[in-house]
């Protein structure tokens, strides 16, 4: 009898335990959902607000194909979006190879000594330095010390500096997440460090590295402060020379040394105007900038998807 | 007899009960009346050797000594099994043979692992040179996230072989050797990760065989596999006998008994007994071996 009672009370104990755990699950799931809804609806509300405000200009094809103008209804973002894309190309071309190389070095080659520790601490700290400080650095170093002018190249350089820590850290994390088994398999076959890294570790780490690079570039695309600091112009009524032309040698790099403006600067200059019409332009430019960023993220997701399903 | 008495010189506390060296899996001599009297026992095989381990000692980076004065022959083109309780140093010993430990800092070797017939000490070679000659298959199947074909020829690529015809030929040859060809010949260019665990492990064996290693090391190759996949790997290893020199760590004594020609029993970083497999399991020379194989401990 005693055992039976014991069993029953145990069963009741279990039932209440299970109930409590289930309630906890529901609570956590509900909380997560709530946070998600708040985050997404904030983003959507912002985007919609911009979209509705900017709609009149967004519908106008001339908006995308015109230079800035003193008249709000004629002003466009041609030089801004071209500038943004060119600056992003330079930034990507500099920061991705450098950042990945630095990450690979720190993770695979560097021994663990005080030098590496120092570099590591610095890299992590650099990720938290305000962007305007990078702007001041670029102003002092590239513009004054090296005598460069406010060109696409300098903008690309400063944005590269800005996002290098992001790319380095994410490269290291991507490499670290690769199972030691791949490395041992390659080393066990007689591969040297570089063969192992290049042929086996980097391909396996590619999705993580690409994600890091895109996160970095997404940050760079919206940066205004460092670019204003180096003295980028807000009124550009011409385009840099096209990189590809019909004449020999077909490709030129004049655009790298060309003055430029970018989307955030264009927005900033419009927002600071008193006229209400320019606010519409700014909103429309904001929508375009967000679409550009989302497109970059979409490309990253697509690449990751491809990579994941190819192997 | 001469080789046998030579081995006695390398042992401590060995009685002189001489016994003809038995050939593989035949009992040419009756079991001695008092099995299990020796402290250590090292058979000197009459067959040709591929390597000889002499007084090998190994320390990890933290200073722990994992291998102590280990002596052991490795017979050419035969399967040798390493058995022993967890933590006895069998995997550590295995990884000495392709210098896998050199990936990690502060490790230290002493003694010799002499590769025959060249008579070079593997401990003094560049680890990368060693790994080009001594292949390894790991406990968990670890194919690269690449195609089956690319996995098979990975070692050849590392050696800089680019000729398509050679690569194709070697891929087929080693996949056949690993008894995988019929299952994968129609999908060589699919991901290796689409294979089952057992197939992946056979792919890893094919990958190791493709470079025609002097010695193939297997570190518990079936411990992550189900019984059917295990049986296939065991069949494969039986077929490889006579073609490749294999040293295999296994936790499974039945497996050692089924597929190996020679067996070494290790305990606490030391070799207790090296003998022909049948002899070790039926008439162990050492009490400690008998205790282990009869399940009295371990």
């Amino acid at each position: 009898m005693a055992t039976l009672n014991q069993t029953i009370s145990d069963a009741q104990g279990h039932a209440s335990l299970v109930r409590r755990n289930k309630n906890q699950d529901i609570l956590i799931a509900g909380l997560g959902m709530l946070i998600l809804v708040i985050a997404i609806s904030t983003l959507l509300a912002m985007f919609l607000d911009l979209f509705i405000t900017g709609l009149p200009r967004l519908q106008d094809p001339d908006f995308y194909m015109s230079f800035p103008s003193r008249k709000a209804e004629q002003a466009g973002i041609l030089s801004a979006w071209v500038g943004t894309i060119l600056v992003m190309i330079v930034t990507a071309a500099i920061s991705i190879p450098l950042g990945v190389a630095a990450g690979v070095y720190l993770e695979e080659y560097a021994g663990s000594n005080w030098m590496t520790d120092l570099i590591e601490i610095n890299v992590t700290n650099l990720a938290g330095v305000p962007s305007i400080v990078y702007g001041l650095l670029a102003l002092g170093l590239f513009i004054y010390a090296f005598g460069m002018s406010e060109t696409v190249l300098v903008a690309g350089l400063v944005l590269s500096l800005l996002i290098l820590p992001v790319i380095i850290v994410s490269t290291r994390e991507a490499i670290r997440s690769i199972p030691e088994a791949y490395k041992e398999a390659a080393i066990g076959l007689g591969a040297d460090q570089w063969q192992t890294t290049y042929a086996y570790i980097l391909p396996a780490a590619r999705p993580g590295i690409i994600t890091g690079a895109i996160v970095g570039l997404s940050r760079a695309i919206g940066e205004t402060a460092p670019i204003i600091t180096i003295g980028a112009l807000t009124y550009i009524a011409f385009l840099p020379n096209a990189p590809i032309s019909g004449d020999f040698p077909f490709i030129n790099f004049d655009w790298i040394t060309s003055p430029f403006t970018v989307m955030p600067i264009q927005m900033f200059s419009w927002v600071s105007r008193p006229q209400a019409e320019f606010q519409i332009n700014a909103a429309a430019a904001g929508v375009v900038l967000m679409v550009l960023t989302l497109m970059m993220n979409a490309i990253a997701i697509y690449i990751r998807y491809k990579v994941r399903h190819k192997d | 007899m001469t080789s046998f008495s030579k081995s006695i010189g390398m042992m401590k506390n060995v009685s002189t009960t001489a016994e003809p060296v038995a050939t593989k899996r035949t009992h040419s001599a009756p079991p001695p009346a008092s099995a299990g009297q020796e402290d250590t026992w090292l058979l000197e095989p009459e067959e040709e050797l591929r390597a000889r381990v002499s007084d090998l000692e190994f320390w990890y980076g933290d200073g722990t000594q994992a291998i102590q004065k280990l002596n052991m022959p490795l017979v050419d083109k035969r399967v040798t099994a390493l058995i022993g309780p967890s933590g006895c140093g069998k995997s550590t010993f295995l990884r000495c043979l392709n210098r896998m430990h050199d990936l990690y800092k502060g490790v230290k070797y002493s003694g010799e692992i002499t590769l025959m017939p060249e008579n070079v000490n593997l401990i003094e070679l560049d680890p990368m040179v060693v790994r080009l000659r001594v292949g390894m298959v790991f406990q968990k199947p670890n194919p690269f996230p690449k195609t089956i074909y690319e996995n098979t020829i990975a070692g050849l690529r590392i050696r800089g072989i680019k000729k398509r015809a050679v690569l194709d030929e070697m891929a087929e040859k080693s996949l056949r050797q690993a008894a995988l060809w019929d299952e994968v010949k129609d999908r060589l260019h699919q991901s290796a990760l689409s294979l089952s665990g057992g197939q992946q492990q056979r792919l890893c064996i094919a990958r190791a065989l493709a470079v025609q290693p002097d010695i193939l090391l297997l570190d518990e190759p079936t411990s992550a596999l189900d019984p059917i996949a295990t049986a296939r790997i065991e069949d494969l290893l039986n077929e490889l006998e006579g073609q490749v020199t294999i040293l295999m760590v296994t936790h499974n004594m039945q497996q050692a008994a089924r597929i190996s020609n020679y067996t070494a029993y290790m305990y606490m970083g030391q070799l207790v007994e090296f003998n022909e497999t049948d002899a070790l399991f039926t008439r162990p020379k050492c009490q400690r071996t008998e205790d282990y194989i009869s399940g009295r401990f371990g």
Side-chain angles (χ1 to χ4, degrees), chain A residues 106 114-129 134 165 168-169:
Chain A
L106 286 174
W114 64 270
M115 262 291 276
T116 334
D117 291 347
L118 196 72
I119 293 173
E120 208 172 318
I121 293 166
N122 269 304
V123 168
T124 325
N125 281 342
L126 279 178
V129 170
Y134 282 97
I168 293 173
V169 168

Side-chain angles (χ1 to χ4, degrees), chain A residues 38-53:
Chain A
I38 291 173
I40 290 191
S41 54
T42 315
L43 182 73
L44 266 183
M46 198 174 72
F47 189 75
L48 272 178
D49 182 47
L50 279 180
F51 186 77
I52 291 165
T53 318

Side-chain angles (χ1 to χ4, degrees), chain A residues 132-204:
Chain A
I132 187 114
V133 176
Y134 282 97
L136 290 173
L137 169 78
L139 184 66
L141 189 69
F142 300 134
I143 310 278
Y144 294 149
F146 295 168
M148 298 159 103
S149 52
E150 48 283 0
T151 60
V152 172
L153 178 64
V154 172
L157 282 172
V158 60
L159 291 181
S160 297
L161 285 181
L162 184 74
I163 66 171
L164 258 179
V166 178
I167 296 179
I168 293 173
V169 168
S170 59
T171 300
R172 295 188 65 181
E173 261 155 30
I175 290 176
R176 219 176 296 157
S177 71
I178 307 238
E180 192 77 351
Y182 287 168
K183 202 168 137 184
E184 289 197 333
I187 296 282
L189 278 172
D192 59 31
Q193 181 89 53
W194 175 241
Q195 283 171 324
T196 309
T197 307
Y198 181 77
Y200 300 107
I201 293 181
L202 279 183

Side-chain angles (χ1 to χ4, degrees), chain A residues 111-113 180-193 195-196 198-200 203-204 309-311, chain B residues 95 98 100 103-105 128 131-132 134-136 138 142-146 154-155 157-159 191 193 207-208:
Chain A
S112 48
N113 50 35
E180 192 77 351
Y182 287 168
K183 202 168 137 184
E184 289 197 333
I187 296 282
L189 278 172
D192 59 31
Q193 181 89 53
Q195 283 171 324
T196 309
Y198 181 77
Y200 300 107
H309 289 258
K310 201 185 75 189
D311 298 319
Chain B
R95 285 164 160 259
N98 74 341
M100 210 58 176
L103 272 182
Y104 307 99
K105 268 192 149 179
M128 265 171 51
R131 292 183 205 124
L132 288 171
V134 181
M136 181 155 185
F138 297 82
N142 58 354
F144 301 118
K146 292 179 179 254
R157 284 226 191 279
I158 286 166
R159 285 155 182 76
S191 169
L193 303 180
R207 180 174 70 186

